[in-house]
Amino acid sequence: MRIAMIGTGYVGLVSGACFADFGHRVCCVDKDARKIDGLNAGVMPIWEPGLEALVKANVERERLTFTTDLPAAVEGAEAVFIAVGTPTRRGDGHADLTFVFEAVRELAKVMKPGTVVVTKSTVPVGTGDQIEAILKEEGVTGVSVASNPEFLREGAAIADFKHPDRIVVGAQDPQAEEVLKEIYRPLFLNRAPILITGRRTAELTKYAANAFLAVKISFINEIADLCEAVDADVQDVARGIGLDNRIGPKFLHAGPGYGGSCFPKDTLALLKTADIAGVDQRIVRTTVQVNDDRKAAMVERVSRALGGEVRGKRIGVLGLAFKPNTDDMREAPSIPLIHGLIERGATVRAFDPVARQQAEQVLSGVEFAKDAYEAADGADALVIVTEWDEFRALDLDRISSSLRGKVLVDLRNVYDRGEVEAAGLVHYGIGRGSPKAAAD
Ligand code: NAD
């Protein structure tokens, strides 16, 4: 199959490289010339485990190419995937489809009958219908529009793409269904479940999945607050409920609130879709509020660990990316925390294994450390915000001797209180009994 992938970001680049690895011929397009120049020189625009080797191997086999020239990429392609960003629209919180529609209008100029246009971007219900209308307006005929939402997670994107829990295809005609089945054939051979459904259902499935996961995270975060009030341990509660097959153990890690490029914007867009449809979604609405409040509350949590005042204090922060194994800073909980601490008069020295460059673009007034120990050096408290593996086995004695205040605020429950205390530090986890008890 010949495939064009429009948008070469986290989703487009991984999907394009994986499709090429399945044996298809893929041309990835992006309007960002720097990105494409870099890729043509073997430089990855994002940090994702295994991506560089996968791209290199498929470029060498001449199955994967990169260009800014959309008409050239689309020429001869049987399927054109749209994987451009769909950020939150300013003003009303709905998904901003500007990039999607711009791409469709460009496509329309060069589209040949028989091609299948597939939205891989997360798009609200009815976007496929709107794309069809634009193509019609531009005089394009004989083209199918399908939906194939992507469920990969940054940090494990290649494994997720190659071993998905399921593939969802929303197709309105046999032509689109056949082309997508052919593209994903290597995964059917591996027995990956495929759900073929209507286009609108596929579009909504992606939002429902992300909203459900957001609800699950917010649920355990609220249970963590209750654990603190009644001196119970959320880690054990999560394990106790997660072993129930009906609940499952994933997404039950209490923390500073969810961030990233998907959950915050997708929950907002789902609410907007529901508003337009006149159907309230109270659970998701509350989840959004709970999560916003939680992220904002982290400053106060650090302040409490420091006796109620951060002014004049130096805080070391470990982890900036919204989760480990990515450099993505979009909606990262580290951002409101660090800005809040600085606004209250603290100084912050932070370290992240890979996200520094991205962090520099969104954080102001922060010093960057070269490693975790430098972030801790002379600080009144050390705060773990992102649970990178390298923060799981810190030399706590070394941390303790370089910290000025003996306070570890562990927003990801990386450590047990006992081992932290053994190093002479006070441990403030999330939902691990009363933090006051920790200080006493
Ligand atoms: P991204 O911002 O990393 O990449 C989007 C790319 O599209 C950018 O490089 C941009 O330059 C390019 N682009 C925009 N308009 C273009 C045009 N007209 N022609 C060519 N290129 C164009 O975004 P992303 O994180 O890859 O997300 C893309 C979509 O996938 C979004 O809808 C997102 O919700 C969805 N999604 C993301 C993830 C994730 O983990 N990042 C997972 C599943 C789904």
Side-chain angles (χ1 to χ4, degrees):
M1 271 285 160
R2 289 188 61 168
I3 296 172
M5 182 68 65
I6 304 184
T8 309
Y10 287 88
V11 164
L13 181 54
V14 170
S15 308
C18 288
F19 282 149
D21 213 48
F22 294 168
H24 302 304
R25 285 179 60 197
V26 182
C27 184
C28 290
V29 197
D30 207 287
K31 61 180 186 182
D32 182 341
R34 273 205 351 214
K35 222 176 232 190
I36 295 300
D37 288 347
L39 281 162
N40 281 324
V43 180
M44 296 303 108
I46 55 168
W47 195 89
E48 179 65 40
L51 185 63
E52 189 169 348
L54 188 76
V55 167
K56 187 168 180 278
N58 285 285
V59 166
E60 275 169 14
R61 287 181 203 131
E62 298 182 355
R63 293 198 296 243
L64 182 62
T65 52
F66 301 101
T67 184
T68 52
D69 184 349
L70 187 137
V74 170
E75 175 77 44
E78 288 138 292
V80 180
F81 283 82
I82 299 177
V84 300
T86 49
T88 298
R89 187 162 69 195
R90 268 170 214 263
D92 70 353
H94 209 4
D96 185 342
L97 297 177
T98 309
F99 297 129
V100 173
F101 295 148
E102 261 175 29
V104 171
R105 287 192 193 281
E106 282 182 70
L107 271 178
K109 295 181 200 139
V110 287
M111 200 102 254
K112 299 265 173 12
T115 317
V116 180
V117 177
V118 190
T119 48
K120 201 162 239 328
S121 299
T122 302
V123 292
V125 174
T127 303
D129 304 348
Q130 287 176 279
I131 293 174
E132 249 173 23
I134 293 173
L135 291 173
K136 200 167 157 201
E137 213 177 279
E138 302 284 332
V140 178
T141 53
V143 165
S144 309
V145 179
S147 161
N148 170 221
E150 183 49 57
F151 296 94
L152 64 76
R153 293 162 304 163
E154 288 173 24
I158 294 168
D160 282 352
F161 197 91
K162 289 191 167 184
H163 306 281
D165 288 341
R166 77 307 205 181
I167 301 153
V168 174
V169 167
Q172 299 297 95
D173 58 80
Q175 151 83 353
E177 189 178 321
E178 282 319 307
V179 166
L180 278 155
K181 276 187 178 163
E182 182 57 27
I183 289 172
Y184 280 108
R185 210 157 66 91
L187 297 186
F188 305 157
L189 298 177
N190 284 339
R191 307 204 183 286
I194 179 160
L195 171 71
I196 308 268
T197 182
R199 197 167 58 204
R200 286 177 159 254
T201 305
E203 290 167 339
L204 185 57
T205 302
K206 172 69 191 179
Y207 284 100
N210 276 357
F212 189 84
L213 294 172
V215 169
K216 209 172 170 189
I217 294 170
S218 292
F219 175 82
I220 201 66
N221 282 339
E222 288 207 319
I223 294 290
D225 289 347
L226 184 55
C227 285
E228 285 169 12
V230 300
D231 210 6
D233 187 331
V234 75
Q235 299 279 91
D236 287 346
V237 172
R239 189 164 152 75
I241 63 174
L243 284 168
D244 183 328
N245 282 331
R246 293 168 302 176
I247 297 173
K250 295 186 177 160
F251 283 78
L252 285 180
H253 301 288
Y258 60 77
S261 63
C262 292
F263 292 171
K265 84 172 172 65
D266 293 348
T267 44
L268 287 179
L270 179 66
L271 290 177
K272 198 67 202 171
T273 298
D275 275 355
I276 294 165
V279 179
D280 199 7
Q281 298 283 301
R282 281 176 294 168
I283 294 173
V284 179
R285 189 177 304 288
T286 304
T287 295
V288 169
Q289 191 61 55
V290 165
N291 194 63
D292 287 349
D293 292 350
R294 187 162 193 87
K295 282 161 92 174
M298 291 303 116
V299 180
E300 189 50 38
R301 193 174 270 270
V302 173
S303 172
R304 273 202 313 268
L306 281 164
E309 181 59 86
V310 298
R311 182 165 301 283
K313 301 272 169 66
R314 171 181 283 282
I315 320 275
V317 168
L318 299 187
L320 296 169
F322 86 91
K323 66 174 183 177
N325 295 323
T326 182
D327 60 351
D328 199 339
M329 286 294 296
R330 287 178 280 188
E331 304 286 335
S334 64
I335 301 172
L337 171 65
I338 288 174
H339 284 158
L341 290 171
I342 292 172
E343 268 164 34
R344 290 192 186 192
T347 53
V348 174
R349 190 187 287 157
F351 170 69
D352 188 284
V354 304
R356 176 172 175 167
Q357 219 182 338
Q358 306 278 357
E360 277 172 343
Q361 289 166 33
V362 290
L363 291 173
S364 45
V366 184
E367 285 171 44
F368 290 94
K370 69 172 189 320
D371 60 22
Y373 299 100
E374 193 176 87
D377 196 22
D380 294 283
L382 188 63
V383 186
I384 299 176
V385 184
T386 312
E387 68 281 32
W388 282 92
D389 275 347
E390 68 177 75
F391 302 151
R392 290 181 185 279
L394 293 170
D395 178 343
L396 292 176
D397 290 328
R398 187 174 162 199
I399 293 282
S400 182
S401 59
S402 59
L403 274 174
R404 186 165 63 189
K406 302 299 176 198
V407 173
L408 180 69
V409 184
D410 181 2
L411 299 181
R412 298 290 182 172
N413 289 335
V414 168
Y415 290 100
D416 281 326
R417 184 178 292 168
E419 57 184 326
V420 175
E421 283 176 351
L425 295 168
V426 182
H427 181 251
Y428 292 85
I430 297 268
R432 314 296 304 273
S434 155
K436 188 174 168 302
D440 291 342

